[in-house]
Amino acid sequence: MESSEEQKLQVRKLELSDKSKGFIELLQQLTVCDSVSDKDFEDRFRELNACAEDHRVLVIEDDLSGKIVATGSVFIERKFIRNCGKVGHIEDVVVDANARGMQLGKKIINALTDYAHSLGCYKVILDCNVENKAFYEKCGYKQKEIQMVKYFI
């Protein structure tokens, strides 16, 4: 049986109402994320929902405070290699600074990984900074190769 604390911190899909629960402010703890208008949020939310199973944003809401305290997303890449296989890409994982140490990041990562696996992905990949490497290793991930990026300003 789950404790009352665990019942208050369940992983679920992003909902339209989560914008008013601090979702954007949570993302701002991760990276540059300008304010997003209600209309822009709704438009992007509907766009992602139209992708059905290929893009999933998960959150954890603290039922006591009504705030989103953790989030992450996974998108599914459909490939020609590996018998037209699929790869899950995990992105935008963040836990609120005041909720760290409660295993919420691990809950989000496990849920995203399980989701990708349930869709038949042959692997799940993610990028992280060096400071987070040990965390992802605890979640069962291992370092492979390097990441390259080119930004468009």
Side-chain angles (χ1 to χ4, degrees), residues 1-40:
M1 183 152 168
E2 291 182 312
S3 71
S4 61
E5 187 64 29
E6 288 172 333
Q7 290 172 348
K8 294 179 180 91
L9 298 168
Q10 293 299 306
V11 177
R12 64 168 172 78
K13 285 174 57 175
L14 178 73
E15 297 172 356
L16 192 55
S17 62
D18 290 335
K19 181 178 187 291
S20 65
K21 297 176 180 179
F23 178 73
I24 298 299
E25 292 79 4
L26 178 61
L27 290 176
Q28 290 170 340
Q29 293 182 38
L30 176 67
T31 190
V32 175
C33 180
D34 298 326
S35 63
V36 177
S37 72
D38 289 346
K39 181 188 182 319
D40 286 346

Side-chain angles (χ1 to χ4, degrees), residues 63 73 79 85 96 124 128 133 144 152:
D63 289 343
S73 65
K79 304 181 79 72
D96 184 271
V124 180
C128 70
K133 182 177 178 242
K144 182 177 186 274
F152 301 102

Side-chain angles (χ1 to χ4, degrees), residues 73-140:
S73 65
V74 63
F75 69 90
I76 309 304
E77 176 187 8
R78 296 170 183 274
K79 304 181 79 72
F80 286 103
I81 64 171
R82 303 258 180 157
N83 297 313
C84 292
K86 296 185 247 181
V87 175
H89 295 263
I90 291 180
E91 291 281 341
D92 303 335
V93 175
V94 61
V95 175
D96 184 271
N98 296 319
R100 293 184 186 150
M102 299 169 57
Q103 304 291 308
L104 301 182
K106 189 171 185 180
K107 267 181 115 161
I108 286 283
I109 289 295
N110 288 342
L112 294 168
T113 303
D114 290 348
Y115 178 74
H117 187 250
S118 76
L119 293 180
C121 290
Y122 69 88
K123 70 178 179 180
V124 180
I125 59 178
L126 57 83
D127 295 321
C128 70
N129 59 33
V130 174
E131 294 80 24
N132 291 332
K133 182 177 178 242
F135 165 74
Y136 288 108
E137 287 173 339
K138 288 178 189 172
C139 294

